[in-house]
Amino acid sequence: MLPPLTAIPSHVASVSDYRELARERVEPGAWAYLEGGAADEISAAQNLTSFDSCRIIPRHFRDFSNAHTRTELFGRRYAHPIFVAPTAYHRLFHPEGELASLLGATALEAGFTLSTLASASLEEIGAQKTAGLWFQLYIQHDREFTLELVGRAEKAGYEALVLTADAPLSGLRNREQRAGFQMPAHISAVNLKGMRPQAPAQQIFGSELLKQSPTWNDLAWLAENTRLPIILKGVLHPDDARSALDHGASGIIVSNHGGRILDTTPTPFEVLPVIAKAVAGAAPVLVDGGIRRGSDIFKALCSGADAVMIGRPILHGLAAAGAVGVAHVIKMLRTELEMTMALAGCPDLSSVNPGFLLEKR
Amino acid sequence: MLPPLTAIPSHVASVSDYRELARERVEPGAWAYLEGGAADEISAAQNLTSFDSCRIIPRHFRDFSNAHTRTELFGRRYAHPIFVAPTAYHRLFHPEGELASLLGATALEAGFTLSTLASASLEEIGAQKTAGLWFQLYIQHDREFTLELVGRAEKAGYEALVLTADAPLSGLRNREQRAGFQMPAHISAVNLKGMRPQAPAQQIFGSELLKQSPTWNDLAWLAENTRLPIILKGVLHPDDARSALDHGASGIIVSNHGGRILDTTPTPFEVLPVIAKAVAGAAPVLVDGGIRRGSDIFKALCSGADAVMIGRPILHGLAAAGAVGVAHVIKMLRTELEMTMALAGCPDLSSVNPGFLLEKR
Amino acid sequence: MLPPLTAIPSHVASVSDYRELARERVEPGAWAYLEGGAADEISAAQNLTSFDSCRIIPRHFRDFSNAHTRTELFGRRYAHPIFVAPTAYHRLFHPEGELASLLGATALEAGFTLSTLASASLEEIGAQKTAGLWFQLYIQHDREFTLELVGRAEKAGYEALVLTADAPLSGLRNREQRAGFQMPAHISAVNLKGMRPQAPAQQIFGSELLKQSPTWNDLAWLAENTRLPIILKGVLHPDDARSALDHGASGIIVSNHGGRILDTTPTPFEVLPVIAKAVAGAAPVLVDGGIRRGSDIFKALCSGADAVMIGRPILHGLAAAGAVGVAHVIKMLRTELEMTMALAGCPDLSSVNPGFLLEKR
Amino acid sequence: MLPPLTAIPSHVASVSDYRELARERVEPGAWAYLEGGAADEISAAQNLTSFDSCRIIPRHFRDFSNAHTRTELFGRRYAHPIFVAPTAYHRLFHPEGELASLLGATALEAGFTLSTLASASLEEIGAQKTAGLWFQLYIQHDREFTLELVGRAEKAGYEALVLTADAPLSGLRNREQRAGFQMPAHISAVNLKGMRPQAPAQQIFGSELLKQSPTWNDLAWLAENTRLPIILKGVLHPDDARSALDHGASGIIVSNHGGRILDTTPTPFEVLPVIAKAVAGAAPVLVDGGIRRGSDIFKALCSGADAVMIGRPILHGLAAAGAVGVAHVIKMLRTELEMTMALAGCPDLSSVNPGFLLEKR
């Protein structure tokens, strides 16, 4: 494994260039964990290609004298709509782990969501930044512990809870299994220390894990037990989006978990328009999955997203060059978003709309 | 040729991993026989890919406290809807032949259909298992012998007849011909011993073979001459499904014979919805062809199938590791089906429906 | 170059197997001439693949006691609907040239069309066979010579004229040019000996060649000057089919000249249904282009063709093994057609119809 | 790098053959500049393939005694509708630069547009040819300098201004960056000498560059300040076409700048019909992007274009063989256009129409 870079090579021209730089610096098992998707990885691959068949029809000669990318979400103003998605165990990819990722994100004014499965404590991260910091949560089989976690997040200054709905069990990670990946001893989900252990099971159906998986009532229960807004992550059906709002959620993240949980789902970008239509402005809608270009972000915004989340590319930047790599990844996306808006004829987010897009015939 | 495995390698993560293990253990001519499809093998290949363009839209936060995969077919309760399809000459792939396959299937509670072209006697197989055992049948040119076979199957405890409709003559097996495959001397269709031989023919049209091929009246005749339910296999047109029920069949198997008989047919999964609609619950509908994942099974069930049949993967498991390989193949499919149902939001078979599927745009 | 085969290798299982056998026996320049299409060869390639996306939905348990493939065209009964298409210069591919091709076709009871650009005299060919023999014709710039040719064909016993409409000039044969193909000195269009030479031209538009290219009036003129039925070859638009019949043609061949003249036309199979509908039974409709399987023939018949023509595969058979190769190619197509009809549930040509086909979704 | 050719090799059969000849003669950085598109080069690639899925349905037996390709644009008669598109810095590809390109174009009677970013002075070029010579223009941040340029073009005999609308900023040229391309010291945009320099900027939005980018009012202003017709280049939306005419433009060029500015736009050929319909004959419509065959030109004309522009192939011809290469490229396109029209049944441009085209099913 090569050591992290200390300077960005001049040939790095796009986010995808960081993938190869990362691959040379990540242990093969961890690379399988990072890159792998569920089963045959069809959804993981389609996430990447689903933006390509959507075309941008540029409009010309518009006024850009007051151009900006500012937006407001849950009462806070953001310089741009690019957020860091929650991803687990950053120390697998760089010794400084989540701290480095946060540093890079903050430098570029990007919102940041810490994973429940972070390899850094939520308090340590909360101490670095309180503005625009969210905490990702699973409703654990141990409901009491779940409430404790929420309390800690509130206390540490997190401003929203990102509740993951699409992973009542781990995905079928064939690539990890084939690579023989095992979590190194020095890395763990430190924030879950003290949680009651799960009963082991031979089969899925009938297991305690599944019997204790959350239902809509648990969402309502959680909403009653926190003062933070809850953003439900993993929504792919418009009825689930409506149900989320009915049960206390304040926002929606359209996501298929990077194609890591259930294979052959629709891509988030594919179902985004119908979900945005179902939400109808009642709450912010975010989307993640396969965004590698500023033009992808623009297409997501035109399709009804209020903001986007970036997952694997952040970890590619982190693995390649630590905080600087993360910052550069976000910087390139931000610049490309501005270029796309300038070339498409969109001076601000309020002027994006589906009319800029042409579905491929 | 390598010998059969005595333990499952740790990298085996999915059914498709057994294909390579099998290939290393099967003589090339027999491999051509197993893997080959008719003519240019377009249908054989499309069977495998036809599930991919169908997307599962997962629903979240549903109640799984009573989740199960039980189903009932022809008066018998099955633990899950995964059946072993009839395939010929298992001794080509493992010295223990059909006995090993049956042992693996029984261990995983899977229904099993013995082929008329089995390399083990139907009585020997019937003696091992009577619950959930079916017998596959062609209406032979020798009608008397056909009735004898049926009588033997009834006596041996088989619970249903799977009548194959789609192969009045062998498919155009170009791959076998190019590989020069010849059946080894020690393997034969033992259950057909004593049947009147077929007159040899120079041409298809005008041959005795074709003149004596069965018609719908023969199905009615067979139904009158057995107390077993007849499941017609090979149906691809809704009118044939209706005709089957009108002439005495009690079930339908949507199938293109693994793409081995006529090339460029529709895939079974492709025509399943329209056939299920034609049958309209009047009889069980099964489907085979190209199922390699639990998610494929889920998609088939959502599209109107009551159960599915697995063909080549059983033989891959058999060739790789005998009964253990067969059991592992079924185990992986069963686990994946439960995972898919859990992640899609389906706690039992009665809750599957077409609303979980999205045709790719 | 290898010499022609004297026996058919046992691995030859389909028409396409003859292509490689031929390639080893044909000089590279002549191979470029044979295999090449116009420009980027998009149409030549699509001809081959256009049948694949069309699926056959088989029907079962039908009566085949009187199955046959007989048909009648222009007053003559044919054993099957497979005809040899007109192709030029057979001596480029085998020393016995058109005589060998004719011998192979006759052995398999296939109709045969001699090209105007044959390397054998029409009288010599006519002397070998008069039943089911047609003559392909261009309306040459030298109209008198054209009439002479027609008179010779009538006298030699040809039963129909196949008038090629789609080649007022040669196609853009980039492959031939790149290969540096030149016609060998000992091969020529012997039937055109004595024709007034064409004035050379620097440019297409304004050239004598183009100014003298035939119009619909020339078709009417030809029809008045021959007692033979005229079959117009190269039709791709329904209005041209109607116009052909209005101006004296008695039949239509849907064709894009094997993709050799104008690139990126529709494939013949693609436009066949709309042309068959336009003709509406008023005259026989034939089709050529890309037929390599009996199932392709069945699909063409279901789509409205009364018969099909085979071009390059005949030359592949000829180059590989002379008359025997040609006969084997036709034999395989004929057997495959019967198998397809048997497996699809079609005992004769009168029972084929579009209901057996499913356009790929 | 090989030197330019002094004779055309006999294997050169089509425009695309010049690409490889050019590649061997252009420095790798300049090659990246020439061949590269924006970002992932999806649009650059699709420009090339977008013509393939459009099929030409040929019509036969039409009268070609008066066939020609003449057309009239902005009051001038042209022998054919093939124009040289504006492209920058021809001296990167051949020491004689734009002068050689112009010489080749003039020999073939093709209209020629000089780029603002030419490596030859507009006066020098204007002195060589005044008939059918156009000048390409950006509305520069320095509006006074822009007017000066226009005045110089008028004085030098240019007959139209091609105003580029789609590039208020440079595209995301990842390929150039990765190749480390830098403009050689001896090549520059000589016509921009004396322009007020642009203030450097760290970010796109808020930069002076973007604040001073032109609006529709600037088009109107330009139209009032020149006696030349203005042809707006880069239009992909019908509303922009209408707006252009409303603000003083006299013609439209449907273009995505060769896929060099914004990636994943529609291809020009794709949106041409809807733009031609919006313009409705009120002004000439030209199109560029991906044209490599005379059949592509024919398809563009059938889709509503009055003429076409050729970009990269001109530079391929220039790099390969100077003026002779440029002339040969145009000659091949012209010959292929005539062949296509002859084979499709179109004796002149007034007879082209959408009825000759079939969208691929």
Side-chain angles (χ1 to χ4, degrees), chain D residues 4 8 28 73 104 134 169 180 198 211 238 245 269 350 359:
Chain D
I8 307 301
L73 285 181
W134 300 348
L169 30 99
Q198 185 76 44
K211 285 189 182 173
L245 301 187
F269 182 62
S350 72
E359 290 297 314

Side-chain angles (χ1 to χ4, degrees), chain A residues 18-38:
Chain A
Y18 269 101
R19 196 172 167 274
E20 190 52 33
L21 296 175
R23 189 208 291 266
E24 299 167 338
R25 289 166 175 80
V26 173
E27 185 271 326
W31 185 252
Y33 172 79
L34 167 53
E35 291 291 299

Side-chain angles (χ1 to χ4, degrees), chain C residues 51 71 73 81 252-254 268-269 271-277 283-288 291 296-309 349-350 352-354 357:
Chain C
F51 291 95
T71 190
L73 285 180
I252 299 291
I253 302 174
V254 182
F269 182 62
V271 294
L272 173 57
V274 69
I275 292 178
K277 196 178 161 200
V285 173
L286 290 86
V287 67
D288 74 6
I291 291 168
D296 297 341
I297 300 173
F298 180 74
K299 292 172 184 177
L301 299 173
C302 287
S303 301
D306 294 286
V308 303
M309 296 192 121
L349 299 199
S350 72
V352 302
N353 68 67
L357 304 183

Side-chain angles (χ1 to χ4, degrees), chain C residues 196-273:
Chain C
R196 175 163 55 83
Q198 185 76 44
Q202 274 299 85
Q203 220 162 310
I204 310 283
F205 275 18
S207 68
E208 287 306 300
L209 173 67
L210 207 60
K211 287 190 180 172
Q212 292 157 356
S213 66
T215 67
W216 291 110
N217 290 337
D218 293 291
L219 169 57
W221 161 83
L222 184 68
E224 281 161 24
N225 283 281
T226 181
R227 56 175 173 76
L228 299 182
I230 298 172
I231 313 170
L232 196 71
K233 180 166 178 285
V235 174
L236 291 174
H237 194 291
D239 289 350
D240 275 7
R242 276 182 284 254
S243 195
L245 302 187
D246 290 347
H247 290 83
S250 303
I252 299 291
I253 302 174
V254 182
S255 173
N256 65 359
H257 213 120
R260 298 169 71 84
I261 297 297
L262 177 64
D263 203 13
T264 70
T265 65
T267 69
F269 182 62
E270 199 174 5
V271 294
L272 173 57

Side-chain angles (χ1 to χ4, degrees), chain A residues 39-40 42 46 139 163-172 174 177-178 202-206 210-211 213-216 219 232 234-237 239-240 261-267 269-271 273 359, chain B residues 9-14 16-17 51-52 54-69 293 295 299 331 334-344 346-348 355 358-361:
Chain A
D40 298 315
I42 292 172
Q46 286 175 337
I139 296 184
L163 181 66
T164 300
D166 60 7
L169 32 98
S170 296
L172 197 68
N174 289 169
Q177 180 181 346
R178 290 180 189 131
Q202 274 299 84
Q203 219 162 311
I204 310 283
F205 276 18
L210 208 60
K211 285 188 181 172
S213 66
T215 66
W216 290 111
L219 170 57
L232 197 71
V235 175
L236 291 173
H237 195 291
D239 289 349
D240 275 7
I261 298 297
L262 177 63
D263 203 14
T264 70
T265 65
T267 69
F269 181 62
E270 199 174 5
V271 294
E359 289 298 315
Chain B
S10 66
H11 77 266
V12 173
S14 75
S16 63
D17 292 332
F51 292 94
D52 295 349
C54 174
R55 314 281 184 85
I56 301 170
I57 318 178
R59 308 297 303 271
H60 302 311
F61 288 157
R62 299 201 167 177
D63 183 4
F64 277 80
S65 47
N66 295 308
H68 70 88
T69 60
R293 285 283 186 189
S295 54
K299 291 171 184 178
K331 170 73 178 166
R334 193 178 172 181
T335 300
E336 287 181 12
L337 173 61
E338 292 188 4
M339 286 183 72
T340 303
M341 291 173 68
L343 294 170
C346 253
D348 54 40
L358 174 77
E359 290 298 315
K360 189 182 181 305
R361 284 184 298 176

